[in-house]
Amino acid sequence: MFAYAEAWSELVEIRHKLELIGGSRRELERELEIVQFQSDEIDGAGFSPGDDAELRQRADRLRNAEDLAAGFDAVLASIGDEGATAQLATAAAEIGRMARLDEGLSGATDRLDAIASSLAELQLDLASLAADLEHEPGELDTLEERVQQLGKLRRKYGETLEEVLAFGAAAGQRAAELATLLGTANELAQELEAATKRAEAAAAELTKQRKRAATRLAKEATGHLQELGMTRPVVELVFAPAELGPNGADRIELAFASDQGLTPGPAAKVASGGELSRLTLALRLAAGIGDAALLAFDEVDAGIGGATALAMGEKLAALGAGRQLFCVTHLPQVAAYADSHFVVERSGANAAVRRLEGNHRLAELSRMLGGLPDSERGQLHAAELLASAQGE
């Protein structure tokens, strides 16, 4: 039993580890497939923070490239060498000439120079933006596809690009966790298979040992029952396979018949009260009672008498050696074997228990023998019975 208990404990521990992983292997694989797809879809799109604003701006510019180009040409022409720039140069020359005549105009000269410098920078910026309108054929189509791709991702994973990217990062992290869990689950599944085989082998060996013990137990219990007044009793332990569990893989039923001419059946159903009590006593005697400190039998002597009752008293006394045994009996042959004799007396709704000593015990045994507690012959018979039972 110890070998099987060890194998079963190992099996339970591995099952517990699999339960802690959460979900079946198929469920883990299904979840991994989903989150891996989500992570790959978002990563594969290649977006970075801020790409949505830049993408929209570039697409809008290319959609309106023709109008913007015409506008840039007009603006640049108005501020170019033949426009505002030329006029500012003329004005600056004139202010410079005047400043030589009036020093108070030197500040105006500086301001005109600053305006001219700013206008030159603006001209360069506008020229750069105009040049940026130039694009490869099909670039706008590519941008439109990217805008649509981003819109699809936002519908599935978040209101903004930042939320989409955060979702993708979380999905990638979960995919890594699931891959680790599946690796662990695969290892545990292999361990579980091996542990199950070991437990099944240990259970099979346990069944063999139980069947050997059952044969011996049934034989010895049958012998005790014969001594307790049953001429040809049948005691069988019937084995049937059961699901592997903490106690092995056996379902064991106690079959009993009071005579070989009867068909054995479940003891709890076919045995009378007295037969069941004697069967219990016989099995206890056959199997031993291990470390049990206390045993109790209620009217185990039902339906017997004479020499059989004496045999039962002797067996109960042997069973009670070294431990506390309580026995409710109406037979003097059984009561005589007790180390201590108590009588239960009822008065209306009340009951009292009284220990019997000396002549009081002899009187009670005499009453149990013949109903005459004060009979001299009855008390002599009781004294003989008591001396015989106590080995005096």
Side-chain angles (χ1 to χ4, degrees), residues 347-365:
S347 176
N350 299 318
V353 179
R354 180 165 52 90
R355 182 172 181 171
L356 301 177
E357 300 283 358
N359 292 333
H360 294 291
R361 185 175 186 183
L362 289 177
E364 177 61 18
L365 288 174

Side-chain angles (χ1 to χ4, degrees), residues 222-289:
T222 299
H224 287 299
L225 287 174
Q226 289 172 340
E227 294 175 1
L228 291 172
M230 294 186 186
T231 307
R232 301 190 305 168
V234 178
V235 179
E236 296 177 352
L237 291 166
V238 181
F239 284 74
E243 184 179 355
L244 201 66
N247 297 314
D250 302 313
R251 185 173 63 255
I252 306 173
E253 183 178 66
L254 176 63
F256 170 76
S258 59
D259 189 84
Q260 294 177 7
L262 301 174
T263 301
K269 295 182 179 179
V270 304
S272 66
E275 290 171 343
L276 194 58
S277 295
R278 279 179 278 176
L279 178 59
T280 301
L281 176 58
L283 290 170
R284 284 286 190 180
L285 290 168
I289 54 176

Side-chain angles (χ1 to χ4, degrees), residues 60-80:
D60 288 342
R61 183 174 296 168
L62 292 188
R63 290 191 196 104
N64 301 286
E66 188 174 347
D67 288 343
L68 289 171
F72 279 130
D73 287 343
V75 172
L76 287 171
S78 66
I79 64 175

Side-chain angles (χ1 to χ4, degrees), residues 88-101:
L88 277 175
T90 300
E94 184 62 24
I95 286 292
R97 185 188 66 79
M98 295 168 62
R100 288 191 294 273
L101 300 175

Side-chain angles (χ1 to χ4, degrees), residues 1 11 30 43 86 91 102 110 133 139 165 210 213 290 299 305 311 326 334 338 344:
M1 183 66 185
L11 182 60
R30 187 182 298 113
D43 289 345
D102 185 353
D110 294 339
L133 291 175
E139 182 181 352
L165 294 175
R210 281 174 169 168
E299 299 189 2
F326 291 97
V334 174
V344 180

Side-chain angles (χ1 to χ4, degrees), residues 79-314:
I79 64 175
D81 293 340
E82 297 179 0
T85 301
Q87 293 177 14
L88 277 175
T90 300
E94 184 62 24
I95 286 292
R97 185 188 66 79
M98 295 168 62
R100 288 191 294 273
L101 300 175
D102 185 353
E103 293 181 359
L105 295 174
S106 60
T109 301
D110 294 339
R111 291 170 65 187
L112 273 176
D113 288 342
I115 292 172
S117 177
S118 296
L119 187 62
E121 290 179 2
L122 175 61
Q123 186 178 8
L124 289 174
D125 290 343
L126 292 176
S128 176
L129 290 172
D132 195 42
L133 291 175
E134 298 178 3
H135 58 278
E136 296 293 333
E139 182 181 352
L140 180 58
D141 292 337
T142 301
L143 288 173
E144 296 286 11
E145 290 176 2
R146 292 286 284 168
V147 170
Q148 292 178 3
Q149 185 180 24
L150 178 57
K152 178 181 177 182
L153 292 176
R154 289 174 58 188
R155 286 192 297 273
K156 294 173 66 175
Y157 302 120
E159 292 291 333
T160 65
L161 175 58
E162 285 70 20
E163 291 181 3
V164 171
L165 294 175
F167 189 100
Q173 182 177 356
R174 179 58 178 165
E177 293 173 354
L178 288 171
T180 300
L181 285 175
L182 274 171
T184 303
N186 290 335
E187 293 176 3
L188 287 175
Q190 295 174 358
E191 293 180 15
L192 179 63
E193 183 179 0
T196 300
K197 290 181 179 178
R198 287 193 292 271
E200 288 173 345
E205 179 60 30
L206 179 60
T207 298
K208 291 180 182 179
Q209 295 178 11
R210 281 174 169 168
K211 287 182 176 180
R212 287 196 294 267
T215 300
R216 177 192 59 78
L217 180 68
K219 181 178 179 181
E220 292 185 9
T222 299
H224 287 299
L225 287 174
Q226 289 172 340
E227 294 175 1
L228 291 172
M230 294 186 186
T231 307
R232 301 190 305 168
V234 178
V235 179
E236 296 177 352
L237 291 166
V238 181
F239 284 74
E243 184 179 355
L244 201 66
N247 297 314
D250 302 313
R251 185 173 63 255
I252 306 173
E253 183 178 66
L254 176 63
F256 170 76
S258 59
D259 189 84
Q260 294 177 7
L262 301 174
T263 301
K269 295 182 179 179
V270 304
S272 66
E275 290 171 343
L276 194 58
S277 295
R278 279 179 278 176
L279 178 59
T280 301
L281 176 58
L283 290 170
R284 284 286 190 180
L285 290 168
I289 54 176
D291 297 328
L294 186 148
L295 295 172
F297 293 94
D298 185 10
E299 299 189 2
V300 68
D301 51 22
I304 65 172
T308 302
L310 284 172
M312 175 166 287
E314 184 178 357

